[in-house]
């Protein structure tokens, strides 16, 4: 039986779309139980609805504190096998991450450990790197510090605007996330310390 995932989003949802498309075309043996957004107007919700996937909006502003907000997320996720952060713009608490230890996967638009946190593509562009890329990793208690599953690289050019570099990286994100999720779905990932072994 395919593993069930919950996907947390905050925005346009192009990575969510990549997952949906790869499930639809048979590449990815996963079932999306629910897409949860913390932003009521996230376009990701429309994408999920169009694909017939259950959605929920859990607006942080409507919760007194982080604990009650995350409790609602847990309740809404139900008994999924894993969680994918696909452009989810909030930092999860240590207790939430502990509950889902080694079961949360994030996509970050930089070659970690460089350029963690917000505006990673701008950070890379401002720094003047010649290669940039994206990282799919398990989430640990730090920000963008967990065990790396896979990375993809793109060239970065002097003439690049932040948006041009971001668009080049995004194309690779749409390949990297489904590929990493396929490995996870097929039980091919083994976390050893902070390293991930990909089984043959
Ligand atoms: C992506 O660049 C992702 O790496 C970052 O947030 C962005 C989300 O984009 N975490 P989208 O909502 O998937 O289009």
């Amino acid at each position: 039986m395919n593993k069930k995932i919950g996907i947390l989003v905050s925005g346009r949802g192009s990575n969510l779309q990549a997952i949906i498309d790869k499930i639809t075309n048979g590449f990815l043996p996963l079932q999306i139980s629910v897409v949860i957004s913390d932003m009521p107007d996230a376009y990701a919700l429309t994408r999920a609805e169009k694909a017939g996937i259950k959605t929920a909006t859990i607006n942080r502003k409507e919760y007194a504190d982080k604990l009650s907000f995350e409790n609602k997320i847990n309740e809404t996720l139900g008994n999924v096998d894993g969680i994918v952060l696909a452009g989810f713009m909030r930092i999860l608490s240590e207790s939430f991450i502990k509950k889902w230890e080694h079961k949360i996967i994030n996509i970050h638009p930089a070659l970690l450990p460089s350029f963690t946190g917000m505006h990673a593509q701008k950070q890379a562009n401002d720094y003047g790197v010649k290669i940039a890329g994206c990282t799919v990793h398990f989430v640990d208690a730090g920000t963008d510090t967990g065990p790396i599953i896979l990375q993809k690289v793109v060239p970065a050019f002097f003439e690049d605007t932040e948006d041009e570099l971001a668009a080049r990286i995004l194309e690779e994100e749409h390949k990297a996330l489904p590929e990493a999720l396929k490995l996870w779905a097929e039980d091919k990932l083994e976390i050893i310390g902070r390293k991930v072994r990909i089984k043959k």
Side-chain angles (χ1 to χ4, degrees):
M1 245 232 324
N2 288 348
K3 287 185 181 174
K4 289 181 287 178
I5 53 168
I7 304 185
L8 304 193
V9 296
S10 299
R12 76 191 151 182
S14 69
N15 279 290
L16 166 69
Q17 191 66 56
I19 298 170
I20 293 171
D21 293 347
K22 290 291 195 299
I23 291 175
T24 307
N25 77 7
F27 173 80
L28 201 46
L30 279 178
Q31 190 190 324
I32 305 175
S33 296
V34 62
V35 170
I36 300 173
S37 174
D38 64 325
M39 303 295 282
D41 56 355
Y43 185 63
L45 290 168
T46 307
R47 294 181 191 266
E49 280 156 18
K50 279 187 185 159
I53 297 162
K54 181 180 155 196
T55 63
T57 298
I58 304 179
N59 189 342
R60 173 68 180 84
K61 288 183 193 139
E62 290 169 13
Y63 293 82
D65 50 32
K66 200 167 195 165
L67 183 66
S68 52
F69 169 68
E70 290 184 350
N71 282 344
K72 184 67 186 176
I73 294 179
N74 276 323
E75 187 192 312
T76 308
L77 285 167
N79 64 342
V80 293
D81 300 294
I83 300 171
V84 179
L85 307 183
F88 184 64
M89 301 310 281
R90 285 184 186 277
I91 306 281
L92 294 161
S93 71
E94 258 185 76
S95 65
F96 186 94
I97 290 162
K98 190 92 197 136
K99 174 177 159 64
W100 295 98
E101 194 170 22
H102 296 166
K103 289 183 178 167
I104 309 176
I105 291 175
N106 182 46
I107 172 92
H108 183 72
L111 293 174
L112 293 173
S114 293
F115 313 127
T116 58
M118 298 287 284
H119 309 298
Q121 305 96 326
K122 180 175 187 327
Q123 293 182 53
N125 196 37
D126 289 352
Y127 200 91
V129 294
K130 297 299 186 198
I131 54 167
C134 62
T135 304
V136 186
H137 65 95
F138 286 106
V139 173
D140 69 6
T143 302
D144 304 319
T145 53
I148 292 171
I149 301 169
L150 60 83
Q151 299 183 293
K152 288 198 183 282
V153 299
V154 299
F157 302 112
F158 177 85
E159 294 78 12
D160 277 343
T161 62
E162 178 193 344
D163 286 351
E164 284 166 343
L165 180 59
R168 201 176 301 124
I169 294 170
L170 190 64
E171 245 182 79
E172 295 305 307
E173 293 185 42
H174 297 160
K175 298 174 200 158
L177 186 55
E179 277 177 32
L181 289 176
K182 186 179 172 75
L183 293 169
W184 177 77
E186 293 175 345
D187 282 324
K188 289 195 176 143
L189 301 178
E190 190 183 354
I191 302 173
I192 301 165
R194 65 150 296 108
K195 293 173 77 175
V196 176
R197 183 202 301 277
I198 300 177
K199 297 185 220 163
K200 296 279 173 241

